[in-house]
Amino acid sequence: MLIVKLLLVVIVSYILGSIPFGYLVSHRGSKIDIRSFGSGRTGATNVLRTMGRKAALLVATLDVIKGASAVAFAGMVIGTEALAFGTNGMAILFAQVLAGLAAVAGHIWPVFLKFRGGRGVATFFGGMIALCPVAAIFGGEVLIIGAGLSGFASLGSITGVVGAYALLVPLTLISGFPTEYIIYAVIGSLLITIMHRDNIKRLLAGKERKLNEKAR
């Protein structure tokens, strides 16, 4: 029964993450396909460059809610049950980590847009907020400061997700925070960094677009 519940959590979380708010907001507000502009992504950064701050803030907020809602949904479905896997007991946090990562995957590869979405940053932080708010707040501050000082959203995003992971290392080893938190952070930050590989190449070549640069 628990296996069925875990499968349900993953599927629903992926579908929730697949809701393309960037596409929906841009299409409803300006009758455009956001994927035809700038980076071709549906995330808040491309919306910012295409439609401005208000639309970008709305999209970022909705994408954060996707991640947090997936984790909350997992908690409601699984309850206090645990899954025995080998010699390890995997409780509700295991399901919540799966849900958060499934939502991130849905945002990156949305079933509703032929698997072409955003880079998963806001949805990752949404899941982290529900799992470990202190790591999410720290990572979010690193993101904002990094993007603000450098002028590059991609650099801020990468340093933000890695910052959340970096904080969780001592919190897990010294303060006894659940290992599931750091598993979420490791997989999520690796996935998001990989999704920024084109940005990393442009950063190294000095050709990356600035945060305030309008999309073409």
Side-chain angles (χ1 to χ4, degrees):
M1 183 63 180
L2 186 54
I3 296 295
V4 175
K5 287 185 176 181
L6 285 172
L7 184 60
L8 173 66
V9 163
V10 170
I11 292 173
V12 171
S13 297
Y14 169 76
I15 293 174
L16 181 62
S18 289
I19 300 174
F21 287 119
Y23 173 84
L24 294 174
V25 169
S26 61
H27 184 72
R28 181 176 178 82
S30 301
K31 307 299 180 184
I32 63 172
D33 184 344
I34 192 69
R35 297 171 298 170
S36 299
F37 296 84
S39 66
R41 298 287 179 175
T42 60
T45 299
N46 203 31
V47 173
L48 172 64
R49 293 191 177 114
T50 306
M51 299 183 61
R53 294 181 180 179
K54 290 184 178 180
L57 180 59
L58 175 60
V59 171
T61 301
L62 292 172
D63 286 344
V64 166
I65 290 173
K66 289 195 303 189
S69 297
V71 173
F73 174 74
M76 291 187 295
V77 171
I78 301 301
T80 57
E81 293 185 63
L83 172 65
F85 186 79
T87 59
N88 299 317
M90 297 183 181
I92 187 172
L93 286 177
F94 174 74
Q96 290 179 313
V97 166
L98 283 180
L101 293 175
V104 172
H107 180 83
I108 296 173
W109 300 291
V111 66
F112 304 119
L113 291 181
K114 297 181 180 179
F115 308 103
R116 180 186 172 193
R119 301 186 197 274
V121 179
T123 304
F124 167 84
F125 275 109
M128 185 62 78
I129 287 172
L131 286 169
C132 185
V134 64
I137 292 172
F138 178 77
E141 290 176 345
V142 172
L143 187 158
I144 293 171
I145 293 172
L149 292 178
S150 69
F152 298 115
S154 55
L155 185 59
S157 297
I158 295 169
T159 55
V161 297
V162 173
Y165 158 70
L167 179 65
L168 280 169
V169 173
L171 290 179
T172 302
L173 296 177
I174 300 173
S175 301
F177 275 47
T179 305
E180 287 84 355
Y181 294 169
I182 202 167
I183 292 174
Y184 176 82
V186 167
I187 297 175
S189 59
L190 282 174
L191 181 59
I192 289 170
T193 300
I194 291 171
M195 294 308 300
H196 280 86
R197 59 190 179 279
D198 55 326
N199 302 89
I200 294 173
K201 290 179 181 179
R202 288 195 295 269
L203 282 167
L204 294 175
K207 299 179 180 180
E208 176 67 330
R209 294 180 290 269
K210 287 282 188 176
L211 180 61
N212 58 358
E213 182 179 338
K214 290 293 183 180
R216 295 188 295 272

